[in-house]
């Protein structure tokens, strides 16, 4: 009887393994890197984390102004679900979060053109670090405003594959 039980268990494991998808059998290559992007008066952190095998990078444009995507990465468990399937890019915009600024601008200097140009530099950095990936923007609140400004600029539309605007 013991032989029959062992044979049945072995057969069950073989059948279950045959039913599993090929994707489930291949471990996902993980990435977790910190990069610094320089633009004008700011040196901005860019954290890349998640499934390096994915061809999609979800670039988080945080709320604020003044909030931090990097702090979201450090403190939030909900992003783990996205990191299983995609590379998440957490970028602290100029004058926000962990960005290092040589000087803080006046209110008159804070216009969306600064953020648009900084975002171009971030996209270029991601393309250098992870060539061939499709970038999808994910804007939230203030980040949604930055996103809306960016995607309505015709000359920049070749820099991304898609966008999500969450409450922006």
């Amino acid at each position: 009887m013991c032989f029959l039980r062992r044979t049945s268990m072995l057969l069950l494991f073989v059948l279950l393994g045959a039913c599993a998808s090929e994707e489930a059998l291949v471990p996902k290559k993980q990435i977790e890197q910190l990069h610094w992007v320089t633009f004008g008066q700011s040196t901005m952190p860019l954290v890349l984390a998640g499934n390096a095998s994915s061809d999609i990078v979800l670039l988080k444009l945080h709320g604020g102004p003044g909030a931090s995507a990097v702090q979201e990465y450090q403190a939030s468990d909900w992003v783990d679900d996205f990191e299983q399937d995609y590379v998440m890019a957490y970028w602290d915009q100029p004058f926000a979060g962990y960005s290092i600024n040589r000087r803080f601008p006046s209110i008159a200097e804070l216009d969306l053109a600064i953020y648009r140009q900084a975002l171009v530099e971030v996209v270029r950095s991601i393309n250098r670090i992870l060539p061939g990936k499709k970038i999808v923007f994910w804007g939230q609140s203030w980040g949604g405003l930055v996103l809306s400004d960016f995607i309505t600029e015709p000359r920049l539309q070749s820099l991304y594959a898609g966008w999500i605007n969450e409450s922006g």
Side-chain angles (χ1 to χ4, degrees), residues 16-160:
L16 287 174
C19 294
S21 71
E22 191 174 310
E23 183 178 302
L25 299 175
V26 177
K28 295 178 179 175
K29 181 181 171 194
Q30 294 298 306
I31 183 174
E32 190 169 25
Q33 300 175 347
L34 170 64
H35 299 271
W36 293 93
V37 179
T38 301
F39 169 75
Q41 300 286 324
S42 296
T43 302
M44 306 166 295
L46 173 65
V47 173
L48 301 172
N51 180 358
S53 302
S54 173
D55 66 340
I56 295 176
V57 176
L58 283 174
L59 174 53
K60 190 80 167 77
L61 306 177
H62 63 73
S68 170
V70 174
Q71 287 175 350
E72 220 174 287
Y73 159 71
Q74 293 169 328
S76 298
D77 292 334
W78 64 267
V79 295
D80 293 344
D81 293 335
F82 292 98
E83 290 175 7
Q84 291 298 313
D85 296 317
Y86 309 105
V87 174
M88 289 292 298
Y90 304 94
W91 163 54
D92 280 357
Q93 300 163 17
F95 322 113
Y98 293 111
S99 288
I100 301 166
N101 305 287
R102 289 185 214 122
R103 67 176 188 80
F104 198 81
S106 68
I107 295 297
E109 292 175 295
L110 287 177
D111 93 18
L112 286 171
I114 292 171
Y115 294 90
R116 184 184 330 117
Q117 303 240 333
L119 184 50
V120 168
E121 288 305 313
V122 169
V123 169
R124 287 180 180 155
S125 294
I126 292 171
N127 286 333
R128 276 192 301 273
I129 299 162
L130 300 170
K133 305 277 187 194
K134 297 175 188 163
I135 296 175
V136 175
F137 298 128
W138 179 357
Q140 179 183 25
S141 188
W142 165 257
L145 180 63
V146 172
L147 167 63
S148 297
D149 177 70
F150 190 92
I151 64 175
T152 56
E153 181 66 44
R155 66 182 176 81
L156 301 176
Q157 292 178 354
S158 65
L159 297 178
Y160 62 94

